[in-house]
Amino acid sequence: MTPVDRDVLELLRNGDESELVLTPGVIAANTDWKRQTIREHLLRLSDERLVEYYDEARALYQLTDRGRRYLRGDVAVEALEADD
């Protein structure tokens, strides 16, 4: 798990507010990362089943249940690596 991955997941979680559904461009605009970097990490997070498309045609991403569990500490990083 990289700092980019963590920033993406945390932004989608949106703290104690309602979770967000965002595009790579909107995520980049709200972090210190470039859009292409965000896109690459979203693909990796999707492969790890931590995020998924909310609307693929519009490139909108959302957290998965597994992503929520990871952020709560219920899924270890080692478990993600073991799934590869």
Side-chain angles (χ1 to χ4, degrees):
M1 188 64 53
T2 69
V4 178
D5 297 330
R6 188 71 184 188
D7 286 351
V8 168
L9 294 174
E10 291 289 346
L11 188 60
L12 290 171
R13 180 171 66 177
N14 196 30
D16 293 331
E17 303 298 320
S18 296
E19 288 182 7
L20 299 175
V21 175
L22 302 170
T23 65
V26 172
I27 294 170
N30 288 282
T31 63
D32 292 330
W33 309 107
K34 295 188 182 294
R35 184 187 175 284
Q36 185 58 36
T37 300
I38 296 295
R39 178 79 177 117
E40 292 166 6
H41 285 263
L42 281 168
L43 293 174
R44 180 175 166 222
L45 291 168
S46 179
D47 288 346
E48 294 171 352
R49 298 182 325 272
L50 298 173
V51 301
E52 65 188 0
Y53 278 117
Y54 174 82
D55 183 334
E56 187 172 1
R58 294 170 41 201
L60 287 167
Y61 286 86
Q62 66 182 2
L63 282 175
T64 63
D65 286 337
R66 181 179 168 102
R68 287 181 205 94
R69 290 194 319 268
Y70 173 79
L71 288 170
R72 282 194 310 265
D74 297 338
V75 176
V77 172
E78 295 80 22
L80 300 176
E81 295 167 357
D83 288 346
D84 291 339

